[in-house]
Amino acid sequence: MASLLRKILPFIAALPLVAAAQTDVDDAALDSVLQLSEVKVVAARVPYSTVIPAQKLGGKALEALNVHSVADAIRYFAGVQIKDYGGVGGVKTIDVRSMGTNHLGVFYDGIQLGNAQNGQIDLGKYSLDNIDRIELYNGQKSDIFQPARDFGSAGTVYIYTRTPQFTIDKRDNFRAIFRTGSFGVVNPSLLWEHRFNDRVSMSVNAEYTYATGRYKFRYRKMFSDGTVAWDTTATRRNGDINALRAEAALFGRIDNGRWQWKAYFYNSERGIPGAIVNNVWKNSQRQWDTNFFTQGLFRKDFSSVYSLQVKAKYARDYMHYNNPDTTLMYIDNRFWQNELYLTAANRFKILPGWEANVAVDYQWNTLDADLVNFAEPTRHTLLTAFATAFQWQGFKAQASVLGTFVSDRTVNAAGQQTNNRHYFTPAVFVSYQPVSSELFFLRAFYKRIFRMPTFNDLYYTDIGNANLRPEYATQYNIGAQYDREFDSSFLRSLGVSIDGYYNLVTDKIIAVPKGNGQYRWMMMNIGKVKIRGVDVAANAVMALPADISLRTRLTYTYQRALDYTDPSDCGDGGSYKGMIPYIPQHSGSVAASALWRNTEIDYSFIYVGERYHSSANIPANYEQPWYTHDLAASYSFRLNRCALRLTLEVNNLLDQHYDVIRNYPMPGRNYKAIVKFDF
């Protein structure tokens, strides 16, 4: 409903202009019928079959968090942990419900972002300047009309970019944003949206990011008896970044359908500051990335019974990594990846309240490198999914089966080798609304899924193991959600959800010593993790005195993610039944926004409890809790036809010194100023 209102309001706002244009019409003309041109209102249809709702951030709620990358925004979802290696350009990956980064699928405008080399997506690369909303689903998206690939992850993040919206009298929208602040940040971006006609529009967006990445940090070392070994302050170096991102898109509407095309380009050079160990304060590693993809979507309802959705994508990625430090190991490697993806999904409405989807996907991946004896892997993947959804009164259910057929081809001294695999994995989701007049829902799901070993796991020179099996995850979830709007003068709306879950990860791929020496390693299927947890999320909108409106959002996660790997396999008896690395037992966030006339105050808080950097939960591996407070103030006003918004931010308000990853210190208190123009 909120999305529909945002699209209708510009037309309502234009009605006084139409009336004003008629003020010079004589009284007789007022009795006649005034013919207005047709106005079409377009809004995304909410699927009737939604069973497990997503955690969502978009619009004002997303803007109020004062974060500038997708990774930083996702931290405010329940059940999410982020690995942040520090700095403006530091790598940022996320982990949902402790199943591992590779079990999370990240989709950009409906098509999955890929990295066949190591399976990890650096979400720090994706700015929020062109993002409309972010959605997080546990299990899978509750919409059966989707590609087979969308059924293939334990959790999914959907990132949706802006779709151009125009008032009646406008054909162009322009937005300019400029940020500057601590660490030498210079970050301008430009957006241009153009309407060709009522059916076709376009969008072009470009952003440049530069930062020195230098910031003060505290380096403190304690002996096992609790005495201080050293305690000093230094400056983080080699954390600079120089990056350019550019996107272009076309949007089209057809009868009973739509189409979309997008091109994306990202190029960066960044320093890798490395870990602070053994009094080494500076590292010289550098990384260059060039990422390009183009993708398209076609969707049409051919009848009341049959609908078709087709998507296609081609991606080309290049990475150059250089470590000039010969005291460790000189490394100067280059990697090239290619990906081709095609999918067709077919939805059939069998009976009222019952529909089915048959989807077939094909994906082709290659990896090349300038390494000696590199396997040059090529992977062909065929995915087929059958899904069905049923609704009767307050009961909703979805079920799906995914078939995955993989063929890997490699080159070695013996010639070309082929490795074929096939797997079938099911999922079942149910939801029940006990009282039709109340927005109270009970829900549950079961899903068994796997993630294929990456090219690095299988074929990295002298470390990979071509005999690796997939890593399986089995998920169980039960939960409830309640939403209500109030007529009171204080509390306007309230939403609360709670989910309990149990996840079992088997055949977990981990690195173990190879042979008698600890300096050679091999990837093996010997890991096992059991995860029990509870996610809680709540949001409320309140009206305070003096015409102040207040929006609040709270999340809390409790987890026990224990390593059940047989200690005889790893030779580390101290890790059995220990908390897996970097997973806290308690974590949560709070976000609040107070709006008064043209002024907005935004506050956010993130807490991550105590944890260990190894499954051996001993005092030497203990990591203290950390938390941050962020505060921002914004003022909006109009200057002729231009809407301006000025923002000042203070992040890590209390100047806490902390590490998300051990020996990778995060910035202390820092500042940012933002100017945004819309015209």
Side-chain angles (χ1 to χ4, degrees):
M1 179 62 71
S3 176
L4 181 60
L5 286 175
R6 286 197 296 271
K7 296 175 175 64
I8 294 176
L9 285 175
F11 297 105
I12 297 176
L15 292 179
L17 299 179
V18 175
Q22 302 299 319
T23 55
D24 58 345
V25 180
D26 59 31
D27 293 340
L30 294 177
D31 295 330
S32 63
V33 176
L34 180 63
Q35 297 291 336
L36 297 177
S37 59
E38 179 184 9
V39 173
K40 294 185 178 180
V41 177
V42 180
R45 182 179 64 88
V46 178
Y48 80 89
S49 52
T50 295
V51 179
I52 307 294
Q55 297 186 66
K56 298 181 181 181
L57 281 172
K60 289 291 185 181
L62 186 59
E63 188 175 43
L65 291 178
N66 302 306
V67 293
H68 308 292
S69 76
V70 170
D72 291 334
I74 292 176
R75 295 188 304 174
Y76 291 89
F77 289 140
V80 170
Q81 298 298 328
I82 186 170
K83 289 186 176 180
D84 190 334
Y85 292 85
V88 178
V91 173
K92 296 177 176 64
T93 61
I94 66 170
D95 179 6
V96 175
R97 292 187 172 180
S98 305
M99 287 178 291
T101 300
N102 290 350
H103 279 283
L104 181 72
V106 181
F107 293 77
Y108 199 79
D109 280 337
I111 299 181
Q112 187 171 9
L113 297 171
N115 186 343
Q117 181 179 356
N118 58 34
Q120 299 188 0
I121 304 299
D122 179 8
L123 290 174
K125 292 180 179 180
Y126 297 92
S127 166
L128 293 178
D129 280 359
N130 193 36
I131 301 302
D132 178 62
R133 68 188 188 278
I134 303 171
E135 300 176 353
L136 171 64
Y137 292 86
N138 289 298
Q140 63 197 35
K141 188 177 182 180
S142 294
D143 178 7
I144 66 166
F145 190 28
Q146 59 186 1
R149 171 61 67 190
D150 294 47
F151 296 92
S153 300
T156 51
V157 170
Y158 286 84
I159 305 167
Y160 294 98
T161 58
R162 287 169 50 101
T163 298
Q165 304 292 332
F166 303 91
T167 56
I168 293 177
D169 61 337
K170 289 191 70 176
R171 299 187 68 88
D172 295 279
N173 296 326
F174 296 94
R175 169 173 289 181
I177 302 176
F178 181 78
R179 299 183 182 91
T180 187
S182 303
F183 326 130
V185 168
V186 176
N187 180 208
S189 70
L190 294 171
L191 171 69
W192 172 38
E193 297 173 338
H194 177 71
R195 179 176 61 180
F196 294 102
N197 52 49
D198 290 341
R199 287 178 173 257
V200 181
S201 60
M202 59 160 274
S203 172
V204 177
N205 178 236
E207 179 184 20
Y208 172 72
T209 302
Y210 170 81
T212 63
R214 295 191 175 191
Y215 55 87
K216 299 286 187 181
F217 69 94
R218 184 179 179 184
Y219 187 46
R220 192 165 184 254
K221 177 69 175 179
M222 305 287 290
F223 289 121
S224 58
D225 61 1
T227 59
V228 177
W230 60 76
D231 190 347
T232 188
T233 300
T235 299
R236 196 75 160 128
R237 299 180 183 274
N238 199 46
D240 60 294
I241 184 171
N242 197 325
L244 173 67
R245 175 186 60 85
E247 298 182 54
L250 286 172
F251 305 85
R253 290 189 294 110
I254 57 177
D255 292 340
N256 301 315
R258 64 186 180 90
W259 58 267
Q260 180 179 331
W261 169 85
K262 174 179 285 292
Y264 177 96
F265 174 81
Y266 178 86
N267 180 265
S268 71
E269 177 188 355
R270 70 180 75 189
I272 302 176
I276 304 297
V277 293
N278 300 324
N279 286 322
V280 176
W281 306 96
K282 180 183 178 182
N283 293 273
S284 301
Q285 291 93 333
R286 309 288 296 175
Q287 181 171 315
W288 294 261
D289 290 284
T290 302
N291 308 112
F292 168 79
F293 67 77
T294 182
Q295 63 186 42
L297 157 72
F298 174 84
R299 179 169 177 165
K300 182 176 174 62
D301 298 328
F302 285 92
S303 69
S304 60
V305 175
Y306 174 69
S307 301
L308 172 67
Q309 181 175 253
V310 177
K311 297 180 181 180
K313 175 182 178 180
Y314 170 73
R316 170 79 171 177
D317 297 327
Y318 165 76
M319 184 184 76
H320 175 200
Y321 173 76
N322 177 256
N323 179 11
D325 188 355
T326 56
T327 61
L328 297 174
M329 178 185 293
Y330 177 79
I331 300 175
D332 190 23
N333 294 149
R334 293 169 174 80
F335 300 89
W336 296 266
Q337 292 190 65
N338 289 285
E339 178 180 304
L340 178 65
Y341 174 73
L342 302 170
T343 176
N346 305 268
R347 182 179 63 184
F348 303 89
K349 294 186 178 180
I350 303 171
L351 293 171
W354 183 21
E355 63 182 27
N357 176 55
V358 179
V360 179
D361 297 8
Y362 168 74
Q363 186 168 313
W364 168 78
N365 294 95
T366 68
L367 177 65
D368 197 7
D370 58 357
L371 298 172
V372 177
N373 298 323
F374 189 66
E376 300 178 12
T378 298
R379 173 172 291 173
H380 299 270
T381 305
L382 180 67
L383 302 108
T384 59
F386 173 77
T388 186
F390 175 77
Q391 178 182 14
W392 181 72
Q393 296 183 357
F395 176 77
K396 301 175 185 177
Q398 292 182 358
S400 63
V401 176
L402 174 67
T404 305
F405 306 86
V406 181
S407 177
D408 283 0
R409 297 180 182 177
T410 58
V411 177
N412 56 30
Q416 182 171 286
Q417 302 291 320
T418 301
N419 186 5
N420 298 320
R421 312 156 184 249
H422 63 275
Y423 310 94
F424 292 91
T425 48
V428 178
F429 295 74
V430 295
S431 172
Y432 178 62
Q433 184 180 9
V435 181
S436 60
S437 60
E438 293 286 342
L439 295 179
F440 175 68
F441 300 89
L442 301 172
R443 62 200 186 205
F445 75 80
Y446 159 82
K447 183 171 183 176
R448 180 163 171 81
I449 199 61
F450 68 94
R451 67 104 169 169
M452 281 294 297
T454 67
F455 282 161
N456 279 0
D457 294 335
L458 293 165
Y459 309 119
Y460 199 87
T461 305
D462 202 41
I463 295 177
N465 178 2
N467 296 317
L468 284 176
R469 300 181 300 277
E471 181 179 300
Y472 275 90
T474 305
Q475 302 169 265
Y476 303 88
N477 185 101
I478 185 169
Q481 179 163 336
Y482 177 73
D483 294 286
R484 184 175 177 182
E485 295 186 356
F486 299 88
D487 296 328
S488 71
S489 58
F490 172 65
L491 184 61
R492 298 299 176 85
S493 67
L494 175 68
V496 179
S497 68
I498 181 169
D499 286 272
Y501 54 88
Y502 171 72
N503 301 328
L504 175 64
V505 180
T506 57
D507 279 341
K508 191 170 181 63
I509 300 170
I510 61 175
V512 298
K514 177 182 178 182
N516 296 323
Q518 294 291 317
Y519 58 93
R520 299 183 68 195
W521 298 78
M522 175 174 282
M523 310 307 295
M524 299 289 288
N525 286 107
I526 60 174
K528 185 177 182 179
V529 176
K530 295 181 180 180
I531 305 143
R532 297 172 177 86
V534 176
D535 289 345
V536 180
N539 60 82
V541 177
M542 291 163 278
L544 304 181
D547 197 28
I548 298 173
S549 62
L550 178 66
R551 299 188 305 267
T552 59
R553 177 185 175 89
L554 179 147
T555 64
Y556 167 75
T557 297
Y558 168 84
Q559 282 190 88
R560 291 284 291 170
L562 303 182
D563 186 351
Y564 277 78
T565 302
D566 189 335
S568 63
D569 289 332
C570 300
D572 184 7
S575 66
Y576 185 67
K577 290 189 178 181
M579 289 285 289
I580 64 176
Y582 294 110
I583 301 301
Q585 190 166 329
H586 304 280
S587 61
S589 68
V590 176
S593 299
L595 180 63
W596 178 72
R597 297 181 182 176
N598 295 338
T599 303
E600 183 173 342
I601 304 295
D602 301 311
Y603 166 78
S604 57
F605 168 79
I606 288 180
Y607 173 81
V608 174
E610 60 184 11
R611 61 220 191 281
Y612 295 87
H613 64 258
S614 169
S615 295
N617 295 173
I618 59 177
N621 297 331
Y622 176 80
E623 295 292 322
Q624 291 186 341
W626 63 266
Y627 53 86
T628 60
H629 302 265
D630 301 327
L631 189 65
S634 302
Y635 181 73
S636 303
F637 61 99
R638 298 197 66 87
L639 187 63
N640 295 327
R641 299 183 62 183
C642 180
L644 282 81
R645 180 182 174 94
L646 308 178
T647 304
L648 292 176
E649 296 180 7
V650 183
N651 299 305
N652 195 354
L653 182 65
L654 300 185
D655 197 29
Q656 187 189 43
H657 295 271
Y658 67 100
D659 296 3
V660 176
I661 302 297
R662 182 177 175 84
N663 296 322
Y664 285 84
M666 298 294 290
R669 185 185 300 114
N670 59 90
Y671 307 89
K672 189 167 291 182
I674 306 169
V675 181
K676 182 170 75 171
F677 302 84
D678 284 291
F679 53 95

